[in-house]
């Protein structure tokens, strides 16, 4: 009888689906979020379509009762199909994928009011240094005791002490406060004829409410955002929801502002920086359909929108859409699948499409829409290469004379300059001049990177930090440490020495670690409080600063080192994107790229602006190597704190590899990052023909191998990282 039994995916990746009894009076349907007993524990779970999941037959008498069903809408059918597809394609446990659709358990509880804390403005007479630090860092922020303690980097007890002292007070928050509804006719733009053509197509697709992927290929500054906003407006008019995915939470803040200007209120934001109460509020509004437009990082992709009418993936070429831990998935590709299950258009917007995406266009699966010129009077910037062999910077410096002169002239005109180097910190390597000792991370096969601003050495892989020592720990020599090579901090020092009056800002994930910090940076740029920005890839995307007219790429060869399959493509995209920050207003932009190899095809393509032949050559090379998008790869990463155990397992997996036509297995070999976060790593690489059912083969293969619990085996289908 229906309703008596429920098949449930419980939130434990080691378990398959389990059957439970639905007690009388409880209503459970596929998608219902439930609480289920497991041994002595209670676990969150989701009831599933029983006919789609096999499980062991369990007699009625052995079934346990479900404990509760959450008062939230069931996960919609298209989302359940997407979750199944994702688990299947990426060889991930269903529970791991379902978890991404669920909020924290607090969003499921009934209470409408949360208690949060904020500063009262009253500062007690005598403050311990910890309390003073807490008040200073918290500023006007609000949150749970635990959240404030994390912001202030103090213990919970310090915050509670401040509450007792009257410096911090409790406030009630209505966590289910409705969001304002965006107004599609609030401030529509006057579109150029090209933009109008593209937007008409997109609006038509939204109105048609059918699956259709689009590549919106428009140069930087062509008005892609402006144009797809018209499709968003159409979805709002039709009372359908829109999801806009951004590659980086730092981009959320400028997006919110633009959206506000166009639609009269902010959209609902979803990212890792949300407080618990904000997360609950957003999740509930999304699940009820009240949240009309949601902008978020890739984690927003699996939320339970009941009536999705449009998905936009902005900066769709960005590799940060690829998730590298937990479930390894590519948000761009999953977004297209979600559009298919929902029956709605999906727009991939970018100035530098991925070769994979171009290939889908060539196959006729994605429709291509082009915006070939910048909006209004803005012209594309001129790009010039600086040959570092002929025009080298002075010894121990990194800015070549030509670039120095160009910055002189830019500052004289009162305009802004951007120096791009994709390397955080002061120097990538620190060593002892006396004995040659190098600082290595104790947990990773990686050098510690000096961060001079905070006087620390940091590992960029695991986050391990230590104070920069005065003396070499190996030979004891004092003041003997030397920095090798540049990071952004060192370039900023060089710039400060060259232009002592210029106001310089460093923009990296170390300085812009929250949407609020990003907003502060944007405001300082707009108010012309910054003359020179020195930044990593974080500044390459999305920003629009009309007075920024000069871009200098410090080391254009950097991305080509390492030489993975996408190195040239990625370098091209990254430099095109950073170049795209120059001259977006009425003043012309100029870009200099410093390279040791100006004849390299990437450099030539950048300088000539001939992206087409570069892409063609790259695509051809991929085809010859049977690399993606023509063939496919999957990586199997075996790791353990116990090196021998990892090695043995990797070898056992290698020995069990199926020998079949259409699939080759390479390895195991120690991973280039042989140790990461204290775990030893070995890799196998699977190379298969496009049509070969590689997931099935790997599932069967790994299903036949056993390994100890201390060994982790991760599968990365369509990998982007080969370390
Ligand atoms: P892209 O996303 O292609 O880089 P944007 O959408 O950011 O381009 O547009 C670049 C700049 O031009 C933005 O400041 C935007 O507001 C402006 N712009 C583009 N199209 C229009 C338009 N039709 N009317 C007014 N401003 C526009
Ligand atoms: Zn490390």
């Amino acid at each position: 009888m229906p309703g008596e039994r429920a098949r449930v995916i419980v939130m434990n990746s080691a378990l398959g689906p389990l059957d439970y009894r639905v007690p009388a009076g409880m209503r459970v349907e596929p998608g219902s979020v439930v609480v289920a007993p497991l041994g002595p524990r209670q676990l969150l779970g989701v009831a599933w379509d029983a006919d789609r999941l096999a499980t062991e037959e369990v007699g009625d008498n052995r079934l346990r009762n479900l404990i509760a069903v959450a008062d939230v809408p069931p996960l919609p059918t298209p989302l359940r199909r997407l979750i199944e597809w994702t688990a299947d394609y990426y060889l991930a446990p269903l529970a791991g994928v379902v978890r991404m659709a669920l909020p924290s358990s607090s969003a499921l509880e009934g209470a409408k009011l949360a208690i949060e804390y904020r500063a009262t403005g009253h500062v007690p007479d005598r403050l311990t240094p910890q309390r003073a630090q807490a008040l200073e860092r918290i500023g006007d922020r609000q949150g749970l005791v635990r959240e404030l303690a994390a912001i202030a980097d103090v213990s919970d007890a310090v915050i509670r002490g401040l509450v007792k002292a009257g410096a911090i007070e409790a406030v009630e928050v209505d966590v289910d406060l409705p969001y304002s509804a965006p107004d599609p006719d609030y401030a529509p733009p006057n579109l150029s004829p090209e933009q109008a053509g593209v937007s008409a197509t997109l609006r038509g697709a939204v109105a048609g409410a059918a699956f259709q992927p689009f590549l919106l290929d428009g140069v930087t500054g062509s008005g892609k955002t402006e144009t797809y906003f018209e499709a968003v407006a159409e979805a709002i008019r039709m009372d359908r929801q829109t999801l806009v995915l951004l590659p980086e939470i730092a981009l959320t803040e400028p997006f919110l502002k633009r959206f506000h200007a166009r639609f009269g209120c902010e959209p609902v934001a979803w990212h890792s920086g949300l407080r618990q109460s904000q997360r609950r509020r957003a999740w509930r509004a999304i699940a009820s359909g009240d949240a009309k437009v949601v902008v978020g990082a890739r984690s927003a992709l699996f939320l339970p929108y009941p009536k999705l009418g449009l998905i936009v993936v902005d900066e769709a070429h960005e590799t940060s859409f690829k998730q590298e831990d937990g479930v390894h998935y590519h948000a761009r590709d999953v977004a297209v699948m979600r559009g298919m299950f929902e029956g709605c258009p999906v727009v991939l917007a970018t100035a530098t499409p991925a070769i994979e995406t171009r290939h889908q266009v060539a196959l006729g699966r994605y429709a291509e829409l082009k915006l070939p010129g910048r909006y209004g009077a803005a012209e594309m910037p001129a790009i010039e290469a600086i040959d570092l062999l002929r025009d080298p910077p002075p010894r121990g410096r990194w800015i070549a004379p030509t670039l120095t002169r160009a910055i002189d002239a830019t500052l004289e005109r009162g305009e802004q300059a951007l120096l791009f180097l994709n390397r955080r910190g002061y120097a990538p390597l620190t060593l002892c001049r006396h004995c040659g000792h190098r600082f290595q991370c104790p947990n990773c096969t990686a050098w510690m990177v000096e961060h001079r601003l905070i006087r620390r050495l940091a590992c960029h892989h695991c986050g391990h930090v230590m104070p920069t020592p005065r003396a070499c720990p190996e030979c004891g020599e004092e003041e003997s440490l030397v920095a090798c090579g540049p990071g952004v901090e060192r370039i900023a020092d060089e710039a400060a020495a060259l232009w002592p009056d210029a106001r310089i800002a460093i923009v990296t994930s170390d300085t812009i670690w929250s949407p609020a910090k990003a907003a502060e940076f944007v405001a300082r740029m707009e108010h012309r409080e910054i003359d020179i920005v020195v930044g990593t890839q974080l500044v390459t995307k999305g920003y629009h600063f009309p007075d920024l007219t000069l871009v200098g790429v410090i080391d254009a060869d950097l991305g080509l080192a390492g030489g993975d399959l996408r190195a040239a493509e990625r370098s091209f995209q990254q430099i095109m994107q950073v170049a795209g920050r120059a001259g977006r207003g009425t003043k012309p932009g100029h870009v200099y790229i410093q390279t040791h190899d100006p004849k390299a095809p990437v450099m030539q393509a950048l300088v000539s602006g001939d992206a087409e032949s570069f892409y063609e050559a790259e695509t051809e090379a991929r085809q010859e190597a049977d690399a993606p998008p023509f063939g496919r790869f999957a990586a199997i990463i075996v790791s353990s704190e116990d090196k021998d155990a990892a090695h043995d397992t990797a070898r056992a997996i290698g020995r069990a590899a199926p020998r079949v036509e259409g699939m080759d297995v390479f390895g195991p070999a120690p991973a280039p990052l042989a140790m990461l976060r204290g775990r030893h790593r070995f890799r196998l690489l699977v190379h298969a023909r496009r049509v070969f059912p590689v997931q099935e083969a790997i599932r069967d293969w790994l299903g036949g191998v056993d390994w100890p619990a201390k060994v982790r085996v991760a599968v990365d289908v369509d990998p982007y990282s080969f370390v």
Side-chain angles (χ1 to χ4, degrees):
M1 267 190 311
E4 283 205 328
R5 262 181 185 244
R7 193 148 292 176
V8 176
I9 299 171
V10 290
M11 292 302 96
N12 179 332
S13 296
L15 297 175
L18 299 174
D19 280 355
Y20 288 92
R21 184 185 303 114
V22 180
M26 188 185 282
R27 241 187 75 99
V28 174
E29 57 188 296
S32 292
V33 180
V34 298
V35 181
L38 190 78
R41 291 179 304 148
Q42 301 192 352
L43 285 185
L44 208 56
V46 176
W48 217 259
D49 317 62
D51 54 336
R52 299 184 70 91
L53 296 179
T55 183
E56 223 177 288
E57 274 308 317
V58 177
D60 277 335
N61 54 339
R62 285 178 48 217
L63 287 185
R64 295 180 71 183
N65 275 352
L66 285 177
I67 296 166
V69 54
D71 181 22
V72 294
L75 302 188
T77 308
L79 174 57
R80 297 202 304 282
R81 298 296 86 84
L82 181 82
I83 289 171
E84 291 165 359
W85 179 86
T86 305
D88 196 56
Y89 186 89
Y90 292 106
L91 293 162
L94 266 173
V97 187
V98 171
R99 197 192 304 276
M100 297 194 286
L102 297 182
S104 61
S105 47
S106 87
L108 298 169
E109 286 154 15
K112 262 180 64 73
L113 291 179
I115 305 292
E116 291 189 337
Y117 294 83
R118 65 171 178 217
T120 54
H122 162 76
V123 179
D125 292 342
R126 262 169 298 149
L127 275 181
T128 64
Q130 287 232 307
R131 288 190 180 186
Q133 169 183 329
L135 283 182
E136 188 194 313
R137 297 215 183 157
I138 288 166
D140 56 5
R141 280 185 281 193
Q142 181 171 320
L144 304 175
V145 168
R146 177 163 40 83
E147 290 167 340
L148 293 185
I151 289 168
D153 198 14
V154 297
S155 69
D156 290 10
V158 173
I159 305 293
R160 277 192 233 103
L162 282 165
V163 175
K164 273 214 190 88
I168 287 185
E169 64 181 351
V171 275
E172 273 190 354
V173 193
D174 180 354
V175 288
D176 294 338
L177 201 67
Y179 289 93
S180 339
D183 174 1
D185 303 310
Y186 183 77
N190 282 317
L191 296 179
S192 70
E194 293 84 35
Q195 292 175 337
V198 168
S199 101
T201 306
L202 293 178
R203 275 184 286 126
V206 172
F211 173 55
Q212 170 66 62
F214 291 96
L215 165 60
L216 174 51
D217 179 359
V219 298
T220 51
S222 58
K224 293 184 291 296
T225 316
E226 224 63 57
T227 306
Y228 75 66
F229 270 181
E230 296 318 292
V232 176
E234 187 68 19
I236 296 171
R237 284 187 201 104
M238 294 175 58
D239 194 32
R240 304 286 298 266
Q241 291 171 291
T242 298
L243 165 63
V244 180
L245 288 179
L246 300 179
E248 199 104 45
I249 79 166
L251 292 178
T252 317
E253 202 62 29
F255 183 91
L256 298 181
K257 273 175 63 185
R258 266 185 91 166
F259 189 91
H260 193 294
R262 169 65 184 82
F263 294 101
C265 70
E266 287 192 353
V268 176
W270 182 270
H271 53 73
S272 56
L274 293 185
R275 308 201 303 266
Q276 204 178 87
S277 62
Q278 295 172 316
R279 190 165 286 271
R280 171 196 155 109
R281 183 180 171 212
W283 193 89
R284 291 205 158 222
I286 288 165
S288 71
D290 289 342
K292 294 293 175 261
V293 181
V294 178
V295 54
R298 57 183 183 231
S299 59
L301 186 53
F302 288 95
L303 298 177
Y305 311 90
K307 42 182 181 181
L308 211 44
L310 172 67
I311 302 174
V312 179
V313 184
D314 207 345
E315 312 288 357
H317 61 279
E318 277 294 329
T319 47
S320 53
F321 283 119
K322 178 69 175 23
Q323 166 123 334
E324 297 290 0
D325 45 33
V327 180
H328 292 66
Y329 68 93
H330 199 307
R332 175 199 64 207
D333 298 342
V334 179
V336 172
M337 289 312 292
R338 180 137 200 188
M340 193 194 85
F341 289 118
E342 302 281 350
C344 76
V346 181
V347 179
L348 309 183
T350 169
T352 51
I355 287 181
E356 281 82 354
T357 307
R358 289 171 51 101
H359 187 60
Q360 296 293 338
V361 172
L363 293 176
R365 295 192 189 133
Y366 295 6
E368 187 179 39
L369 301 171
K370 281 197 172 247
L371 290 173
R374 280 192 161 173
Y375 172 75
E379 298 280 339
M380 289 304 280
I383 304 183
E384 225 172 285
I386 294 177
D387 184 342
L388 287 172
L389 295 177
R390 291 160 151 230
D391 186 13
R395 242 188 95 77
R397 298 217 249 133
W398 284 272
I399 304 175
T402 306
L403 180 54
T404 308
R405 283 192 298 275
I407 297 174
D408 280 338
T410 305
L411 297 179
E412 256 161 48
R413 286 195 304 273
E415 295 165 6
Q416 295 165 308
L418 163 62
L419 297 176
F420 169 68
L421 176 64
N422 203 19
R423 228 192 231 146
R424 293 159 50 209
Y426 186 83
L429 173 67
T430 304
L431 55 78
C432 170
R433 179 186 310 131
H434 191 240
C435 73
H437 174 74
R438 299 169 165 205
F439 287 85
Q440 197 181 349
C441 174
N443 312 318
C444 307
T445 318
W447 305 124
M448 297 292 284
V449 178
E450 183 181 5
H451 286 248
R452 227 168 245 196
L453 296 176
I454 53 167
R455 296 204 197 92
R456 296 275 193 285
L457 298 175
C459 169
H460 288 177
H461 294 283
C462 71
H464 178 76
V465 286
M466 60 198 229
T468 310
R470 280 178 44 89
C472 171
E474 193 66 30
C475 68
E477 188 80 4
E478 294 219 358
E479 311 290 344
S480 70
L481 304 184
V482 283
C484 302
V488 281
E489 291 181 8
R490 198 169 197 178
I491 300 299
D493 275 5
E494 186 175 337
L498 286 168
W499 300 284
D501 297 331
R503 293 155 305 172
I504 299 171
I506 298 177
V507 176
T508 72
S509 55
D510 300 303
T511 58
I512 307 286
W513 38 266
S514 71
K517 284 278 168 196
E520 197 182 305
F521 163 62
V522 170
R524 285 177 58 214
M525 279 299 277
E526 284 171 352
H527 298 142
R528 303 299 320 277
E529 292 163 22
I530 297 172
D531 302 305
I532 302 176
V533 183
V534 185
T536 58
Q537 49 84 28
L538 206 64
V539 284
T540 62
K541 305 169 247 253
Y543 294 113
H544 180 78
F545 303 120
D547 286 329
L548 177 63
T549 55
L550 182 90
V551 167
V553 178
I554 299 294
D555 184 354
D557 310 331
L558 189 61
L560 294 174
D564 79 53
L565 135 88
R566 295 182 181 85
E569 181 193 4
R570 224 170 335 198
S571 285
F572 179 79
Q573 290 166 336
Q574 198 166 59
I575 295 173
M576 277 307 277
Q577 289 292 335
V578 69
R581 298 314 111 204
R584 291 171 67 96
T586 48
K587 298 166 193 148
H590 213 110
V591 180
Y592 291 92
I593 52 182
Q594 302 193 146
T595 171
H596 286 96
D597 190 6
K599 296 247 152 25
V602 193
M603 306 306 156
Q604 302 254 307
L606 288 163
V607 171
S608 67
D610 185 3
E612 215 45 49
S613 25
F614 170 74
Y615 269 123
E616 265 162 34
E618 274 296 300
T619 308
E620 206 170 295
R622 298 264 191 102
Q623 185 152 23
E624 259 157 39
D626 212 9
F630 301 98
R632 81 166 62 247
F633 287 119
I636 300 175
I637 302 129
V638 182
S639 69
S640 175
E641 286 175 12
D642 178 343
K643 186 172 179 182
D644 291 336
H647 195 198
D648 290 347
T649 302
R651 276 200 309 222
I653 291 176
R655 275 195 305 272
R659 282 182 189 79
V660 285
E661 175 75 21
M663 177 172 118
D664 294 310
V665 179
F666 303 96
L673 246 173
M675 190 157 96
L676 177 62
R677 295 189 193 93
R679 303 177 71 87
H680 299 269
R681 305 165 75 243
F682 294 85
R683 295 180 67 105
L684 295 100
L685 188 66
V686 179
H687 184 199
R689 291 208 197 111
R690 191 86 223 161
V691 292
F692 186 82
V694 71
Q695 285 88 349
E696 212 179 294
I698 295 177
R699 203 176 290 119
D700 288 348
W701 165 19
L702 294 183
V705 184
D706 282 323
W707 52 82
K710 61 185 167 187
V711 175
R712 195 183 302 150
V713 177
V715 184
D716 189 359
V717 177
D718 304 339
Y720 273 63
S721 156
F722 294 85
V723 293

